[in-house]
Amino acid sequence: MRLFNSLTRAVEPVEPVEPGHVKIYACGPTVYRYAHLGNLRTFMLGDLIRRALELEGLAVTLVMNITDVGHMVDESSPEAIDKMQLAAEDEGLTPTELAEKYTRAFLEDSAALGIRPADRYPKATEHIGDMIRLIERLIERGHAYVVDTGSVYFDVQSFPGYGRLSGNTLDALRSGHRDLEVDPRKRHPADFALWKAAGPGRLMVWDSPWGPGFPGWHIECSAMSMRYLGDRFDIHTGGTDLRFPHHEDEIAQSEGAVGHQVVRIWVHGGHLRLAGHKIAKSAGNVVRVPELAQRGLDPLAFRWLAFQTRYRSEMDFTWEAIEAADHRVRQLRRRMAEWAPGAAPTSEAARAFDERFRARIADDLDLPGAVVLVNELVSSTDVPPAERYGLLASWDHVLGLDLEREATSGWRPSDRMRELVAERDRARAARDYATADRIRDELESMGLEVMDGPSGTTIRPRI
Ligand SMILES: [Zn+2]
């Protein structure tokens, strides 16, 4: 697979540090309010890359952080207020209750959109010790300094690569700060806080070698990505708005601490616009996932709509467009039901389609190209219907549209069947193929068709 790397501004092959195993870190939500469709389009990106890599037979570990402290309303101001604390006060909740409420909503919305869970969701507040150790290392290595208030700043002039990701120069950043209120203790206006001394009225405070305070926003992603994925990993995703300062600062922190490149490929997702307008709470045009279902739409239709725009491009959301997407997804499921039972795509025409699909997905996640192919396949007379079913079912491991829903409706696997499937997946993961085959036979003797896919064993009744 090849992806556009924001750091080098080129499309590059994914060549995992650990052969056969790709490690992805995705910047996750700040859990002080509900995520809207634009946020979720970005959160979908890490999972789509994972699905695409799995289609190629690679193992993938995906880590997504939950920001529950340190994300300030205005990062540049020394008196900035934490978004979590502000929202907690508004809602009359403790910061912990607030974080729990919006983390739960985020996970529900993700599931409704077919975003498979990350392998881990580390929380910033549970990694303060890791962040403090990282800040200590940056001070030791001459990349950070303590000021008399008990705050610690990163010294951007100590890191020659600063600005490489965003294209900012230190001079441009200096003049950009001219009209802003800047802490006079900073050596350079672009120096950013690693640790902030707690002011009066602060709810979330931790002890540190520099006095009571709390971490800056960016340090959590350096600390948690390296904690779970090591100091060299493959892919880092986030919305395009995170490129600067969040990711620029993360690179400076991580590489300043370990002395070498940490992330190979930076992938940034484009914004979502609502009928031509920027989505913002202040503009009152925020669309949330539950609203889709309230309007009688299948939330998975948002995927089909999103696939029609390249992930890096700005995408426009309109109700007409998602209604059309909803109609199309239901139509595809109906066609699948007509073509059932499926067969392995063995004809030459089917194999050619499969190759083209895989090539589109591998080419920087060209989902618009994949959508064209799906439409072409549906009306193709060269591929027998049963093989069309087989192809779409296997492509659905990437698309995640639940295309077999109608074909398999009315039937639910029993607990015993689910147990056997889980047992077989464990056996396959452990390369115990004798056991996996024995379980396959057992499932088949129950009248089931057994299929292998990147996400494991799937079963359906043999019709
Ligand atoms: Zn982050």
Side-chain angles (χ1 to χ4, degrees):
M1 181 178 200
R2 295 173 308 282
L3 286 169
F4 181 83
N5 186 353
S6 305
L7 190 62
T8 57
R9 294 160 182 84
V11 177
E12 293 176 8
V14 179
E15 284 162 350
V17 176
E18 182 192 325
H21 183 182
V22 181
K23 294 176 183 141
I24 307 176
Y25 185 88
C27 277
T30 301
V31 283
Y32 70 110
R33 65 179 183 197
Y34 292 115
H36 58 63
L37 282 181
N39 306 135
L40 287 152
R41 180 190 181 210
T42 303
F43 298 139
M44 196 188 284
L45 179 58
D47 179 44
L48 283 169
I49 294 172
R50 167 170 61 180
R51 288 168 177 263
L53 291 163
E54 285 174 348
L55 187 71
E56 297 193 348
L58 292 156
V60 182
T61 298
L62 174 63
V63 173
M64 179 181 273
N65 65 303
I66 302 283
T67 299
D68 55 0
V69 68
H71 193 169
M72 311 311 276
V73 172
D74 172 10
E75 294 288 331
S76 61
S77 159
E79 304 305 327
I81 314 162
D82 192 314
K83 289 180 174 179
M84 292 293 298
Q85 175 157 346
L86 203 64
E89 284 165 1
D90 268 6
E91 295 200 29
L93 299 172
T94 66
T96 310
E97 288 165 344
L98 186 87
E100 276 168 12
K101 172 182 170 182
Y102 290 110
T103 301
R104 210 176 314 119
F106 160 73
L107 293 174
E108 282 169 15
D109 291 346
S110 297
L113 292 185
I115 301 173
R116 284 164 42 203
D119 297 286
R120 257 178 198 283
Y121 291 104
K123 294 177 191 161
T125 51
E126 290 174 0
H127 294 78
I128 304 292
D130 290 324
M131 296 183 223
I132 289 175
R133 277 188 291 281
L134 198 57
I135 297 168
E136 286 179 315
R137 206 148 133 201
L138 287 168
I139 295 171
E140 273 164 36
R141 293 176 65 103
H143 288 298
Y145 56 96
V146 187
V147 299
D148 55 13
T149 52
S151 290
V152 184
Y153 286 112
F154 188 93
D155 180 356
V156 293
Q157 294 167 103
S158 75
F159 185 75
Y162 195 80
R164 198 175 144 215
L165 178 69
S166 58
N168 286 312
T169 62
L170 289 181
D171 282 347
L173 289 169
R174 186 185 294 281
S175 52
H177 279 82
R178 214 164 20 217
D179 301 327
L180 297 171
E181 188 192 354
V182 171
D183 186 340
R185 301 172 199 83
K186 282 190 186 181
R187 294 177 186 168
H188 186 285
D191 287 355
F192 56 91
L194 299 170
W195 187 263
K196 297 189 192 202
R202 174 82 204 164
L203 294 174
M204 289 181 284
V205 180
W206 290 267
D207 282 329
S208 81
W210 318 287
F214 59 101
W217 172 32
H218 318 304
I219 194 71
E220 70 170 83
C221 285
S222 287
M224 297 194 288
S225 65
M226 292 199 285
R227 161 120 194 181
Y228 293 109
L229 300 175
D231 63 14
R232 292 177 199 271
F233 64 93
D234 306 298
I235 298 170
H236 196 309
T237 67
T240 187
D241 53 316
L242 296 187
R243 203 182 299 234
F244 186 85
H246 187 55
H247 290 162
E248 192 73 70
D249 292 354
E250 187 182 329
I251 291 174
Q253 295 163 161
S254 300
E255 299 190 4
V258 300
H260 59 73
Q261 186 169 356
V262 174
V263 177
R264 288 196 171 179
I265 299 183
W266 288 84
V267 183
H268 289 103
H271 279 155
L272 184 77
R273 294 170 68 85
L274 194 80
H277 297 281
K278 186 174 188 283
I279 295 186
K281 205 177 167 202
S282 53
N285 65 350
V286 168
V287 179
R288 290 189 46 223
V289 173
E291 196 178 341
L292 301 178
Q294 281 156 21
R295 291 189 180 222
L297 299 165
D298 183 334
L300 294 182
F302 180 71
R303 298 177 73 86
W304 184 254
L305 181 63
F307 294 166
Q308 292 167 43
T309 305
R310 202 69 182 247
Y311 73 85
R312 278 195 277 140
S313 306
E314 200 164 79
M315 164 187 165
D316 200 38
F317 176 94
T318 63
W319 288 106
E320 293 73 32
I322 194 154
E323 275 157 21
D326 181 76
H327 180 74
R328 182 57 174 161
V329 169
R330 288 173 202 271
Q331 203 175 40
L332 288 171
R333 290 182 188 140
R334 262 199 309 281
R335 298 308 302 274
M336 291 283 277
E338 289 161 22
W339 299 332
T346 47
S347 69
E348 204 173 308
R351 284 210 310 271
F353 262 106
D354 199 30
E355 247 169 62
R356 287 166 67 202
F357 181 84
R358 286 164 182 268
R360 284 303 92 231
I361 296 298
D363 179 14
D364 194 24
L365 206 61
D366 178 8
L367 287 158
V371 163
V372 169
L373 266 174
V374 168
N375 291 335
E376 202 181 309
L377 174 69
V378 170
S379 51
S380 164
T381 48
D382 299 343
V383 181
E387 292 190 25
R388 273 181 249 167
Y389 185 108
L391 274 179
L392 278 183
S394 76
W395 296 355
D396 206 28
H397 288 299
V398 178
L399 303 173
L401 296 167
D402 199 10
L403 291 176
E404 292 180 272
R405 185 186 293 176
E406 199 154 320
T408 55
S409 66
W411 177 80
R412 294 281 173 272
S414 67
D415 289 348
R416 176 68 189 142
M417 289 169 186
R418 272 199 290 268
E419 245 171 62
L420 285 169
V421 165
E423 211 178 304
R424 183 163 186 271
D425 285 343
R426 278 195 297 274
R428 274 164 55 86
R431 299 180 184 280
D432 178 2
Y433 297 113
T435 303
D437 287 347
R438 183 182 53 72
I439 298 171
R440 165 191 282 271
D441 292 345
E442 194 175 340
L443 285 165
E444 283 175 349
S445 73
M446 297 163 96
L448 299 169
E449 198 176 339
V450 181
M451 288 151 297
D452 295 327
S455 55
T457 305
T458 51
I459 50 171
R460 63 165 181 247
R462 217 173 21 241
I463 303 167

